[in-house]
Every structure is written in structure tokens, then in C-alpha cells.
Amino acid sequence: MTIAPTDPAELPYVFADAFNSGDLAAIDRLFEIDALFVTEPGRTVRGEERLKANARFLALGVPIKLTLRHSYVTGDLALLIGDYLIEGDGPQGPIRLEGSATDVARRGPDGRWRYAIDNPSGIDR
């Protein structure tokens, strides 16, 4: 079972493991209930729409690789900046998606870190 980490720098790697397992419920456990997902610059979703957005990424059928570049922590907040690559042969043919994400995580009352804002398009204009 996927469990949110106690170290915010581990969150992207736990996410990658959940993503690569294909388990949408495991991915969802790594987000706060009211977490915000940036589907593209200027467009955000929450709740059921956030779950659907993650499901669309999973439907690509291709694994993700994540590399954390920076983790800045103050109190119960963390800014995570990392690079991702989704590459391989999907059901519809070759896929290559890459970018630099800027995410905000928050430590919950249980001491575990979850995404409060997931912004995969990060620094894209």
C-alpha cells in the first residue's frame, strides 16, 4: 500500500512508484483532499476532476521517471522542483512528455507529506 512519506523530498519518488504501478487510488493517497492540480498553465482542477486528470496520465500506459532538483521546506510547507519524463510505447504509439514541475506539499497532522498543489507544467510559459 502506498503511504505518504515523512520526508517531503521523498514525495516525488513515492508518486513515481504509485504512478508506475498503475494504481490511481495509490496516487490519490498522496494528495490532500482539496489539492489543486494544474492541468495546463492557467487551468486548475480539484476533487473528482483532479482524479480524472491523473487517470488520463495513467491511461498513457507509459512509466514516469522523476528527478528532484530542489526541495525548500519551511514549517509544514515544501516547494518541490523536479524534472519528469514519461516516455515509451503507449496504446496509441510512442509517447514522450517531459517538463519541470513546481509542486507544493504540506505536512499533515500525521507527519506525512502530501501534494497541496501539483503543477506538472511548472515553469512552462
Side-chain angles (χ1 to χ4, degrees), residues 86-99:
I86 300 173
E87 182 177 42
D89 291 325
Q92 310 271 327
I95 294 172
R96 181 177 174 88
L97 299 172
E98 62 183 317

Side-chain angles (χ1 to χ4, degrees), residues 101-124:
T102 55
D103 300 322
V104 176
R106 185 180 356 247
R107 181 175 29 220
D110 61 356
R112 300 199 173 272
W113 292 83
R114 293 173 183 84
Y115 290 108
I117 301 172
D118 183 7
N119 183 16
S121 53
I123 58 174
D124 294 348

Side-chain angles (χ1 to χ4, degrees), residues 46-121:
R46 295 175 189 257
E48 188 64 29
E49 291 304 312
R50 178 182 50 77
L51 196 61
K52 288 177 184 177
N54 274 318
R56 284 191 291 276
F57 276 114
L58 276 182
L60 296 173
V62 178
I64 191 169
K65 294 177 188 171
L66 292 168
T67 304
L68 183 65
R69 276 197 281 149
H70 304 285
S71 173
Y72 303 107
V73 181
T74 181
D76 291 334
L77 292 175
L79 174 62
L80 307 172
I81 300 170
D83 301 317
Y84 68 89
L85 174 64
I86 300 173
E87 182 177 42
D89 291 325
Q92 310 271 327
I95 294 172
R96 181 177 174 88
L97 299 172
E98 62 183 317
S100 296
T102 55
D103 300 322
V104 176
R106 185 180 356 247
R107 181 175 29 220
D110 61 356
R112 300 199 173 272
W113 292 83
R114 293 173 183 84
Y115 290 108
I117 301 172
D118 183 7
N119 183 16
S121 53

Side-chain angles (χ1 to χ4, degrees), residues 8-73:
E10 291 299 315
L11 185 55
Y13 301 109
V14 175
F15 175 89
D17 288 344
F19 185 96
N20 293 338
S21 76
D23 185 346
L24 185 58
I27 290 172
D28 197 48
R29 286 191 291 274
L30 301 175
F31 287 83
E32 292 185 343
I33 290 173
D34 201 29
L36 189 71
F37 184 89
V38 181
T39 57
E40 60 186 65
R43 183 166 185 273
T44 61
V45 295
R46 295 175 189 257
E48 188 64 29
E49 291 304 312
R50 178 182 50 77
L51 196 61
K52 288 177 184 177
N54 274 318
R56 284 191 291 276
F57 276 114
L58 276 182
L60 296 173
V62 178
I64 191 169
K65 294 177 188 171
L66 292 168
T67 304
L68 183 65
R69 276 197 281 149
H70 304 285
S71 173
Y72 303 107
V73 181

